[in-house]
Amino acid sequence: MEWCEAKDHAGVRGEASRLLAAFIRHSRSPEVVNAVAKAAGVRHLISMATSEHVIMQNEALVALAIASAIDIDSMKDPFSDAELLPILKKMLEDPVGAVEVKFSALGLICSLANSSVMKEELNSVNMKESLSKLTDHSSSKLASQASSILAILGDTS
């Protein structure tokens, strides 16, 4: 975590965040997810998700999706503290955002939509509006995923 905050060297900071994402992606372990959340690592992953590099954005979004699927309880507070949902909404609405980043963001949103607590928060930031705009996207894969998540969010059970 200290390396994620290295002020003197941006390369170390970036690679430390990538390593954190890799721990989650490759271990898929509740213990690792919980440790990252307890050590305040989630904010570093969210910061990485907003980097200018598409590869880093995707790595972070995939790690966050896996972490939320494994242990949403330890992730929901750090997500709220870092204001993740408005960030995801902005990513979806970015007219020049890469399709693959939007698709990874949709993967995370889908994971969140399957949690009752996060489903309410997704609805409170009006994520449905952003998803609706994607249902006629030129990428049929992206449009289909957005439609699927809209169906999950519309389901009140």
Side-chain angles (χ1 to χ4, degrees), residues 105-151:
L106 287 176
L108 174 53
I109 292 167
C110 186
S111 178
L112 299 176
N114 284 306
S115 153
S116 59
V117 173
M118 294 307 294
K119 188 175 185 179
E120 285 177 27
E121 290 191 32
L122 285 165
N123 285 324
S124 75
V125 298
N126 201 11
M127 191 64 76
K128 287 181 187 178
E129 177 187 28
S130 303
L131 292 166
S132 293
K133 292 175 185 172
L134 288 178
T135 57
D136 56 2
H137 194 275
S138 59
S139 164
S140 60
K141 193 175 171 185
L142 199 64
S144 172
Q145 183 73 356
S147 294
S148 297
I149 298 168
L150 271 172

Side-chain angles (χ1 to χ4, degrees), residues 4-63:
C4 289
E5 297 175 10
K7 302 230 184 309
D8 298 338
H9 201 286
V12 169
R13 194 170 52 242
E15 289 305 313
S17 295
R18 290 184 79 186
L19 186 58
L20 200 56
F23 284 150
I24 292 172
R25 287 190 352 264
H26 297 291
S27 76
R28 298 179 187 262
S29 158
E31 292 83 14
V32 170
V33 170
N34 193 280
V36 169
K38 280 186 176 167
V42 176
R43 65 188 170 95
H44 298 298
L45 293 173
I46 292 172
S47 176
M48 181 178 158
T50 61
S51 101
E52 63 192 54
H53 306 289
V54 170
I55 290 172
M56 288 182 71
Q57 289 175 320
N58 279 331
E59 288 175 359
L61 291 166
V62 168

